[in-house]
Amino acid sequence: MKYAIIIPDGAADEPLAELGGKTPLEAADTPNMDRVATEGRQGLARTVPEGFESGSDVATMCLLGYDPAIFHTGRAPLEAAAQNIPLTRSDWVFRCNLITAVDGIMKDHSAGGITDAEAQRLIGDLSRSLKLEGFQFYTGVSYRNLLVYRGGEEFNVTTKPPHEFPEEPLLRYLPRGVGQEILRKIMDDSREIFADHEINAVRKQTGLNPATQVWLWGQGHAPNMPTFHERFGVKRGAMITGVDLLRGLAVLLGWENLTLQGMTSFHDTNYAGQGQATAAALDKYDLVFSHVEAPDEASHQADWKTKVDAIEHIDRFVVGPVLEKLRTFPEWRLLVMPDHPTNISTRKHGYAPSPFAMAGTRVKSLRPAPYSERNAAASDLKIERGHELMEYFLRGGNL
Ligand SMILES: [Zn+2]
């Protein structure tokens, strides 16, 4: 059996006045997704469990068949996995943003999209000046760095993502709880070390936001996840994504991360290349997971035109070729679904259950209708515990 899973990130939405009361999925011309839904089945799955924030890490973990309530330990550990940072069960990982604060107010969670080279110099100098036992910094892409703690201290702290409190005082959101002192000290010390740093002097001269300090958040231990093979018996898996968090998930699942030219998070991404790479990977792998970020980014910009266009591109250049390729195998199944809705009206991730469509071997059509939020909701297939969808998809069994 060959399996393909295609994720148009954030594609689900609500009806929009601009689209004559249709959702972007309904307004988009999607003959291939409609074929999946009419030949197979569609339904709803709740991929963001109660009490969780709607994020791609949580929602994707859930739709992959892993209950976030058990396996989601934080965002930083997933990013550490993506970077292949070795971790023991007792190690802690923190996200270590470079941020811009002015007079104690959060101005920019990304320090003006600081370059990798600048971030490396700042973090390097910070690490040398602090000389903190057990702590090790890892630079990532731009402002997204990690701090790993390998030592005997325990942490039980509440932290806040810096992108969630723009224009608000930092003081209000400092780490709180067991271990808060050391985290606050690192953040305070970084402010002094960065204040007169030449990187910041140059950035200010050229009108760019300086990195005034680091901000620690998203902490957790490495998740103790069984591999996808151990959990579901499907051997060789591959992930195609432009997003670090999902690459980290793939490492934890024991999958290979495939790369491809021109893949971005936006509508300028290489749709055709991704479709070809996904189809080609089916020759080698038993399951290929192909994730396209563009509809989500368009939704965050409230750009409904680009969102509709992105969905049409995914349909034509990814779902179409993958469906065609799957039909060359004796047994196959295809699942298409957004990880979570991203609503144009709020420019934020939504919490509504996600519409899915699946087709292939032993997936029977009950009530053929084009793929949409409304048609999925009208189906009798509603999976309240979203992590149960994977078992259903792989086995084609009953719920
Ligand atoms: Zn997402």
Side-chain angles (χ1 to χ4, degrees), residues 3 228-230 232-237 255 286-287 394-395:
Y3 300 101
F228 199 79
H229 181 214
E230 284 163 351
F232 294 111
V234 176
K235 231 182 203 162
R236 288 158 304 175
W255 287 357
D286 303 310
L287 187 153
L394 296 174
R395 314 266 174 260

Side-chain angles (χ1 to χ4, degrees), residues 9-10 56 296 339-340 349:
D9 197 304
S56 290
D296 181 68
D339 43 354
H340 52 75
H349 293 179

